[in-house]
Amino acid sequence: MKILENISLKAYNTFGIAAKAKHFVEVTGLLQLQKVLQLSAFPNRLILGGGSNILLTKDIEALVVHLNLKGISVYDEDDDTIVLKVMAGENWHELVLWTLERDYGGLENLSLIPGNVGTAPIQNIGAYGVELQDIFVGCEAMNVENQELEDFSKEDCQFGYRDSIFKNEAKGKYIVTSIRIRLTKKNHNLRTFYGAIEEQLKEMAVVSPTIQDISEAVIAIRKRKLPDPERIGNSGSFFKNPVVSKKVFEGIRKKNPQVPFYDMGENLIKIPAGWLIEQCGFKGKRQGDAGVHDKQALVLVNYGTATGEEVLNLATEIQKEVEAKFGIAIAPEVNIIK
Ligand code: EPU
């Protein structure tokens, strides 16, 4: 375990922001993590996993801890299902492919999501009609204060839309070290009801889809709509889709009959932030190397040399315009490090 100095974080965040870490350490084992948390010289740390959900707005004074815990093991198994324990540093999409190769069902709709396993429960990753919580059993997390591992059940995690206890009262107090997920070994529960998946499967001429077909469909849709972080820096959806009252929604629909929406029940309506942002004229807009993706306005991009501050300024401008035009506040889903 070596503490490095003045390390560029460009390769460690999918936005490709070239902020620097004054001190940087790579952690590959739980004992190492405990030791790092006990270093009195570094009371403040920034824990970095796959770096797929953060925007670095300046150089980092705190010790940057790159969490690189690896391993996939079978935790439990019966005739129909298997519970896998997966360490936080495994790449999410590689895990999805690993499960599909073995014909384990449950992760197919969550194909090609950037980032690592440890981040998945923090924001309850979700796409195409499935959220992590649908297959989640529990996770282990290290208590930063006493360096002990604690177990969190699914209920303990208090999952919501792009939300969990780790974004709220447990924020900064725990480091997720592994997760457990229950997958099907047979009689897979195929979730093809999301419109875009149905259309894609038709295009692929698939009549009775397998979990592998669904994954392929999701990959094709994502590749069409979302920029590849290897080529254009981004963090996926920058904002959450806002949830408003039916009354507010009807006000918007009166002026914009074509507004897309999801009825959440209980008089609540979710409106795609991407649509709101597009209506404000931002889709495809570019300010220097910071921009709004031209195929999905919910995604902010770094064309190369944008600073985190430039991306943040663009995000703030978008929030102001959406608020002015629709009276709706949109909140970032990306973790902004200030
Ligand atoms: N839309 C526009 N203009 C845009 C983008 C979207 O009008 O520029 C409209 C679309 O036409 C569609 C609606 O908005 O009617 C919804 O768009 P889409 O299906 O692309 O989904 P989303 O609500 O924008 C969410 C997730 C994505 C996830 C997709 C698919 C959030 C914040 N984002 O996006 O997640 O892949 O659904 O399930 O909930 C991520 O979190 O990083 C992410 C990519």
Side-chain angles (χ1 to χ4, degrees):
M1 188 176 78
K2 209 169 148 197
I3 296 188
L4 306 173
E5 283 177 20
N6 282 325
I7 296 292
S8 167
L9 296 173
K10 192 172 170 67
Y12 293 94
N13 71 98
T14 60
F15 246 124
I17 302 290
K20 270 195 182 149
K22 220 169 185 177
H23 299 278
F24 178 97
V25 66
E26 170 117 359
V27 160
T28 54
L30 290 171
L31 275 176
Q32 271 185 350
L33 181 58
Q34 278 169 333
K35 278 197 186 136
V36 164
L37 295 178
Q38 286 162 358
L39 293 171
S40 51
F42 300 102
N44 300 315
R45 315 131 195 126
L46 173 70
I47 310 295
L48 208 56
S52 63
N53 206 39
I54 53 163
L55 178 66
L56 303 168
T57 61
K58 56 175 175 38
D59 290 345
I60 308 297
E61 295 291 325
L63 173 64
V64 174
V65 181
H66 184 229
L67 204 58
N68 203 7
L69 308 168
K70 298 280 187 194
I72 305 174
S73 54
V74 177
Y75 184 84
D76 196 9
E77 190 167 10
D78 59 28
D79 285 348
D80 302 318
T81 66
I82 187 160
V83 177
L84 298 177
K85 177 176 174 175
V86 190
M87 298 305 287
E90 289 288 342
N91 173 273
W92 178 265
H93 184 58
E94 279 169 26
L95 168 68
V96 175
L97 296 179
W98 188 97
T99 61
L100 291 170
E101 267 166 33
R102 288 158 181 81
D103 203 35
Y104 300 148
L107 302 186
E108 54 283 356
N109 295 52
L110 302 176
S111 296
L112 211 60
I113 294 181
N116 284 358
V117 164
T119 331
I122 294 174
Q123 52 157 339
N124 183 24
I125 57 169
Y128 305 103
V130 176
E131 286 183 326
L132 178 75
Q133 63 173 333
D134 301 331
I135 35 104
F136 189 85
V137 177
C139 66
E140 264 182 351
M142 193 175 285
N143 185 326
V144 170
E145 191 103 316
N146 59 16
Q147 298 90 49
E148 276 172 27
L149 283 183
E150 290 180 27
D151 205 84
F152 285 72
S153 69
K154 178 166 147 177
E155 289 67 36
D156 292 337
C157 290
Q158 298 173 17
F159 288 126
Y161 165 59
R162 296 291 192 279
D163 201 26
S164 77
I165 191 167
F166 302 108
K167 275 189 155 187
N168 298 292
E169 65 244 49
K171 192 174 178 177
K173 296 186 179 139
Y174 289 92
I175 298 167
V176 175
T177 54
S178 69
I179 68 167
R180 299 188 300 283
I181 48 176
R182 185 182 295 279
L183 305 175
T184 48
K185 296 203 290 189
K186 53 188 176 195
N187 305 323
H188 302 307
N189 176 13
L190 303 178
R191 283 152 301 194
T192 55
F193 50 83
Y194 201 95
I197 294 189
E198 267 176 8
E199 283 162 31
Q200 181 65 33
L201 287 171
K202 235 185 242 165
E203 209 168 287
M204 288 158 53
V206 173
V207 184
S208 41
T210 61
I211 51 175
Q212 290 79 8
D213 293 328
I214 294 175
S215 169
E216 234 176 82
V218 167
I219 289 173
I221 302 164
R222 287 189 75 103
K223 280 195 169 157
R224 258 203 314 268
K225 278 197 172 184
L226 301 168
D228 176 0
E230 297 278 325
R231 291 181 44 241
I232 302 176
N234 76 93
S235 242
S237 305
F238 193 90
F239 299 101
K240 289 199 245 188
N241 287 332
V243 176
V244 300
S245 70
K246 218 164 202 155
K247 198 170 155 226
V248 169
F249 170 71
E250 289 306 342
I252 292 174
R253 180 146 75 167
K254 229 180 188 173
K255 289 188 210 146
N256 310 271
Q258 78 293 7
V259 55
F261 64 97
Y262 316 103
D263 195 331
M264 311 278 288
E266 296 171 17
N267 266 321
L268 293 174
I269 305 281
K270 193 190 265 180
I271 305 178
W275 182 85
L276 296 168
I277 296 167
E278 181 172 351
Q279 297 307 304
C280 292
F282 281 103
K283 197 172 189 169
K285 206 171 168 180
R286 188 169 169 166
Q287 292 177 354
D289 264 0
V292 178
H293 189 48
D294 57 351
K295 297 188 187 74
Q296 164 57 291
L298 192 53
V299 179
L300 301 193
V301 295
N302 169 13
Y303 285 107
T305 61
T307 63
E309 222 177 344
E310 284 167 336
V311 175
L312 187 59
N313 286 343
L314 177 58
T316 309
E317 199 182 310
I318 290 171
Q319 282 174 310
K320 278 190 191 146
E321 293 273 333
V322 168
E323 173 104 48
K325 190 169 164 78
F326 294 103
I328 296 178
I330 53 172
E333 81 146 334
V334 168
N335 191 6
I336 297 168
I337 311 292
K338 285 186 187 164

